Amino acid sequence: YRVGALEFRGVHCVGMPGPASKRRVPVSQAGMTDPHQLFDDTSSDQSRCYGAQRASGDLGYPTTTSSPQADFLAHPVSNMAVAYGSSLAAQGKELVDKNIDRFIPVTKLKYYFAVDTVYVGKKLGLLVFPYLHQDWEVQYQQDTPVAPRFDVNAPDLYIPAMAFITYILVAGLALGTQDRFSPDLLGLQASSALAWLTLEVMAILLSLYLVTVNTDLTTIDLVAFLGYKYVGMIGGVLMGLLFGKIGYYLVLGWCCVSIFVFMIRTLRLKILAEAAAEGVPVRGARNQLRMYLTMAVAAAQPLLMYWLTFHLVR
Amino acid sequence: MAFTLYSLLQAALLCVNAIAVLHEERFLKNIGWGTDQGIGGFGEEPGIKSQLMNLIRSVRTVMRVPLIIVNSITIVLLLLFG
């Protein structure tokens, strides 16, 4: 990618920020060879552009001195001040970047948002119709899981976050059509859904700890998987608004079964994987317990989907 | 739907308080959940009961001081604001 960027530099930095599409071509070709490159890197081109612009501007100023501002900017002391100010800003930015990683794992979160339209489309299709999908393994590349935009099985946080917000808005819409709406109800819906999500995450983490499952299922992964049910909930409520209770029950039933199958197939690989991959004769009771845990987690999804939406459709 | 984040916080505080008041000698030993009574085997599977006992012991040890602080704050806030 770096070679491609250097090649394009002459074309882009004449004076306008060039079209981004030209920069994307080398990335997509070289995408699979650089797993740590989650997003297109536009910073280096931009700074080079600014540097070229500023250099040409500074060269131009002494020759067209007709205004006091140009004199002020050409003064060597103000040049130093500009340099000092920009270095201060860079230091401050570094400090913030270093410290914010202690509270919010920004780099880890970035992985979950590295999605593109094709991935979102395929994932939504998978959430509604998971029956024909064969391979549920997440591809790994040099010990790290591949970013979601390269593998449809990888969990992401974009769809759950968007679906959550859409659910709040659709709930407001549904309440509005029944003349039960007031603005604080929106906050109440959001708080309630978040509280259920937190409770689910804590319950699953507790049961994973009690059953001593050694998985690579991180908390954020778990939040991502549990957030996928909002998609089905949105579908159900929208159908309920359009076609009444029958439409709501039909679509909700379909989405409940799909989410159930989706969760079982995904969690089976995470929770039960190492038991099957070890090749050791599996202790029956422990494996059975893990299977029960997977089924319980998957069965809780339809229940919660119904519980969080039935009061919205009358 | 009155299930809010605030009620979740209250429930969590009450649960942690409940775990913290389990008396070691008078209660846990009598039902066989004492700290010295279970962690015998060094096999691979600790089992659910010993994991639970571990969890109770660690919660009681770790949360003792923070619970004092959080309880005091909660008492003061509830007295002031109801």
Side-chain angles (χ1 to χ4, degrees):
Chain A
Y1 169 68
R2 301 282 176 210
V3 176
L6 283 175
E7 280 173 1
F8 282 121
R9 186 174 48 137
V11 177
H12 285 300
C13 295
V14 179
M16 53 177 213
S21 56
K22 279 211 185 131
R23 278 196 291 259
R24 287 234 178 92
V25 172
V27 171
S28 60
Q29 285 167 356
M32 283 306 282
T33 61
D34 189 0
H36 302 292
Q37 183 106 16
L38 287 174
F39 300 101
D40 295 343
D41 184 11
T42 54
S43 56
S44 48
D45 273 352
Q46 199 70 356
S47 60
R48 259 183 247 134
C49 272
Y50 281 149
Q53 277 177 351
R54 200 164 36 163
S56 62
D58 279 343
L59 282 177
Y61 271 126
T63 60
T64 59
T65 50
S66 53
S67 54
Q69 292 104 342
D71 278 341
F72 167 69
L73 280 173
H75 202 275
V77 174
S78 56
N79 270 348
M80 247 173 35
V82 163
Y84 181 63
S86 63
S87 83
L88 257 188
Q91 271 179 19
K93 182 171 173 315
E94 259 181 52
L95 199 68
V96 167
D97 281 341
K98 227 178 1 173
N99 281 335
I100 203 167
D101 212 30
R102 278 195 284 169
F103 301 113
I104 317 173
V106 177
T107 39
K108 271 194 271 179
L109 275 182
K110 270 196 197 175
Y111 161 81
Y112 290 98
F113 285 99
V115 296
D116 60 349
T117 324
V118 174
Y119 169 82
V120 171
K122 281 203 267 187
K123 193 78 178 193
L124 286 178
L126 203 62
L127 283 171
V128 174
F129 197 77
Y131 308 106
L132 294 180
H133 189 68
Q134 298 298 334
D135 181 23
W136 292 80
E137 276 281 343
V138 180
Q139 300 167 28
Y140 277 77
Q141 193 169 19
Q142 300 162 14
D143 244 9
T144 59
V146 167
R149 64 162 66 169
F150 299 124
D151 177 24
V152 79
N153 291 319
D156 71 315
L157 275 180
Y158 175 79
I159 292 183
M162 290 291 137
F164 179 73
I165 298 176
T166 314
Y167 160 73
I168 305 293
L169 296 175
V170 168
L173 180 69
L175 287 174
T177 57
Q178 299 160 23
D179 282 336
R180 285 191 293 154
F181 180 77
S182 77
D184 43 332
L185 272 185
L186 273 185
L188 200 63
Q189 286 288 334
S191 185
S192 174
L194 266 182
W196 278 112
L197 187 70
T198 316
L199 193 65
E200 248 192 302
V201 170
M202 289 199 310
I204 295 181
L205 283 178
L206 180 70
S207 25
L208 279 178
Y209 168 76
L210 286 181
V211 180
T212 56
V213 174
N214 299 322
T215 74
D216 54 351
L217 190 71
T218 65
T219 313
I220 309 187
D221 270 349
L222 200 56
V223 172
F225 288 136
L226 294 175
Y228 283 140
K229 62 174 172 297
Y230 292 121
V231 178
M233 281 158 62
I234 296 170
V237 176
L238 282 177
M239 283 301 130
L241 282 178
L242 290 174
F243 298 117
K245 281 213 138 185
I246 299 198
Y248 166 67
Y249 281 128
L250 275 178
V251 175
L252 196 72
W254 174 268
C255 291
C256 283
V257 177
S258 314
I259 279 282
F260 184 73
V261 171
F262 177 85
M263 291 294 287
I264 289 215
R265 289 208 182 153
T266 314
L267 287 180
R268 192 177 52 170
L269 284 173
K270 296 265 179 181
I271 298 184
L272 293 169
E274 39 106 80
E278 266 170 11
V280 194
V282 282
R283 288 169 282 268
R286 198 157 158 228
N287 221 26
Q288 206 182 24
L289 208 54
R290 292 187 190 187
M291 197 61 203
Y292 282 157
L293 178 65
T294 320
M295 309 272 304
V297 170
Q301 308 294 309
L303 288 178
L304 274 174
M305 282 168 73
Y306 178 70
W307 182 258
L308 282 173
T309 52
F310 78 101
H311 61 285
L312 294 174
V313 179
R314 290 277 168 87
Chain B
M1 295 308 297
F3 185 47
T4 59
L5 278 174
Y6 177 65
S7 55
L8 193 65
L9 226 56
Q10 277 184 317
L13 186 62
L14 288 173
C15 280
V16 179
N17 272 325
I19 297 183
V21 300
L22 295 173
H23 196 279
E24 181 63 47
E25 285 175 9
R26 292 182 207 155
F27 178 65
L28 292 178
K29 284 220 168 64
N30 288 343
I31 61 170
W33 278 23
T35 54
D36 48 353
Q37 280 170 338
I39 313 154
F42 283 103
E44 290 170 27
E45 38 171 307
I48 293 193
K49 182 174 162 189
S50 70
Q51 288 285 93
L52 256 184
M53 280 157 42
N54 252 341
L55 187 65
I56 291 181
R57 181 170 59 120
S58 30
V59 165
R60 295 185 67 232
T61 318
V62 167
M63 296 297 287
R64 193 154 289 199
V65 173
L67 261 186
I68 298 176
I69 302 174
V70 175
N71 276 335
S72 320
I73 296 179
T74 313
I75 290 174
V76 168
L77 284 179
L78 280 179
L79 279 177
L80 286 179
F81 301 116

